[in-house]
Amino acid sequence: MDRPSWDEYFMEITELVAKRSTCLRRKVGAVVVKDKRILTTGYNGPPAGLKHCDELGGCLRDKLGIPSGERMELSRAVHAEQNAIIQAAKYGISIDGATIYVTNHPCFICAKMLINAGIKRIVYKEGYPDEFAKEILNDAGIKVEQFKGG
């Protein structure tokens, strides 16, 4: 029987979650897992009920010429990791000690939130140009692994 590993399984789900993103620049998905059970998911997009960038004439970051990995505060989007953490808080789900699967390496802001949320392991598929995020996650002793599977 040819079954995917747990990492492959959850990463495939993360890629499906990313398809819900409305971001014009990068579609990111996140899945928080503990004891092989999905606790929450998140994808990047504007706060609930607000207009998406395509409805406002394009990406603010593109209009301002902001490179990827810089000035994350200048975005309408709530990041996928942030939305996964918010969903846990909203519905009273503890994610302390959990693993998060993400399509892209977390940024510095998300890294700080993941540390404080008690995430113990991060599995990501693609890199992200944010050396500060890598440094702070290392300092916090969080296991960070790039997904190498299919």
Side-chain angles (χ1 to χ4, degrees):
M1 184 181 285
D2 189 26
R3 297 174 71 194
S5 70
W6 286 109
D7 283 350
E8 289 170 330
Y9 174 72
F10 292 122
M11 190 55 74
E12 283 186 31
I13 294 169
T14 301
E15 291 171 0
L16 180 63
V17 171
K19 290 181 180 182
R20 290 283 308 151
S21 170
T22 58
C23 184
L24 301 173
R25 224 181 213 202
R26 174 181 289 135
K27 295 185 181 310
V28 180
V31 176
V32 178
V33 174
K34 190 170 185 180
D35 299 327
K36 300 177 185 168
R37 301 287 181 255
I38 295 172
L39 301 177
T40 65
T41 65
Y43 53 87
N44 56 331
L50 298 185
K51 289 184 178 182
H52 300 279
C53 293
D54 64 342
E55 298 172 292
L56 297 171
C59 174
L60 172 65
R61 293 174 58 78
D62 282 345
K63 288 177 183 179
L64 296 174
I66 300 170
S68 184
E70 296 180 17
R71 305 291 316 266
M72 278 81 66
E73 76 279 7
L74 293 177
S75 173
R76 286 184 62 81
V78 178
H79 287 190
E81 303 94 323
Q82 294 168 352
N83 273 323
I85 292 168
I86 291 165
Q87 288 303 309
K90 188 173 180 178
Y91 294 104
I93 300 168
S94 173
I95 59 174
D96 190 41
T99 294
I100 189 167
Y101 292 84
V102 195
T103 54
N104 292 84
H105 190 286
C107 72
F108 187 59
I109 295 168
C110 289
K112 293 185 288 184
M113 292 178 72
L114 293 168
I115 291 165
N116 278 359
I119 295 294
K120 296 299 179 205
R121 181 175 175 241
I122 298 169
V123 180
Y124 70 97
K125 189 167 187 182
E126 296 177 19
Y128 189 75
D130 192 333
E131 292 304 313
F132 291 122
K134 293 174 186 171
E135 184 179 319
I136 198 169
L137 290 167
N138 183 57
D139 290 349
I142 294 179
K143 234 176 133 174
V144 180
E145 304 166 26
Q146 186 165 19
F147 178 71
K148 301 290 186 188

